[in-house]
Amino acid sequence: MEQKPTRVRILDAAHDLMLTVGLVHTTTKAIAKAAGCSEAALYKHFAGKEELFVAVLHERLPELTPLVRGLTRDPQQQSVEANLTEIARTAALFYQQSFPIAASLYADPGLKKRHEAAVRQIGAGPHMPIRGVDAYLRAERQAGRIDAEADTYAAASLLLGACAQRAFAYDMTEEGEPPQSLDEFAVSIARAVLRGISR
């Protein structure tokens, strides 16, 4: 059987380790070992753990950024409700899968600060999806499909905030899971946000 390319093996190993032991405890040495390559080979493909983290988010998790960019370029292929539903569904999945990876950062304030600086330097961060959805909603506003006075940034923040909250808020309930299915949640959140920005 043909071996996967080194970069793919590194990303696979990083994703697995970040999910199982968290970002803080995932070292480049451990990633290289799990990928079956040297640390030097890892650094030929990635500048460091922060760049690997961003690559995992972009290439191994539900693709929120490309979805939003596509909708911003051409928002009118579907209704605004359908677009918001698709964003909510993808975002909820993205946060559900990314939170276990990033949660360990919050246990070490110094490391969190260094990580944030490194991620900021490569133009990434948790604020970027909000900016993306805001850009999409501004395109809808310009097209006249939502209210001309709609606060697009607030709407983007509410939509994505609900999706992020869904990822962890129900673990402690008796059921241990959200009260709605992912599809039901996406539809209801999209409709709630749309009511606030409709013409």
Side-chain angles (χ1 to χ4, degrees), residues 50-113:
E50 289 76 18
E51 188 176 313
L52 252 169
F53 172 63
V54 172
V56 165
L57 294 184
H58 286 178
E59 299 179 39
R60 292 295 183 270
L61 301 187
E63 296 188 356
L64 180 57
T65 299
L67 167 65
V68 173
R69 282 187 184 145
L71 291 174
T72 302
R73 282 192 302 271
D74 188 10
Q76 297 186 47
Q77 287 189 7
Q78 301 184 98
S79 68
V80 179
E81 183 178 324
N83 288 341
L84 288 175
T85 299
E86 191 174 355
I87 290 169
R89 187 178 192 291
T90 303
L93 282 171
F94 174 82
Y95 290 122
Q96 179 184 322
Q97 294 178 33
S98 63
F99 270 18
I101 294 172
S104 62
L105 270 179
Y106 290 85
D108 186 334
L111 180 61
K112 179 177 177 284
K113 196 169 185 175

Side-chain angles (χ1 to χ4, degrees), residues 7-68:
R7 185 181 185 281
V8 173
R9 294 197 329 267
I10 291 168
L11 270 176
D12 287 346
H15 185 208
D16 290 345
L17 284 167
M18 288 174 186
L19 278 174
T20 54
V21 301
L23 187 60
V24 170
H25 299 294
T26 299
T27 63
T28 53
K29 184 175 183 177
I31 294 167
K33 182 177 179 184
C37 68
S38 66
E39 268 190 281
L42 182 149
Y43 283 111
K44 285 181 184 175
H45 295 277
F46 301 96
K49 189 165 78 169
E50 289 76 18
E51 188 176 313
L52 252 169
F53 172 63
V54 172
V56 165
L57 294 184
H58 286 178
E59 299 179 39
R60 292 295 183 270
L61 301 187
E63 296 188 356
L64 180 57
T65 299
L67 167 65
V68 173

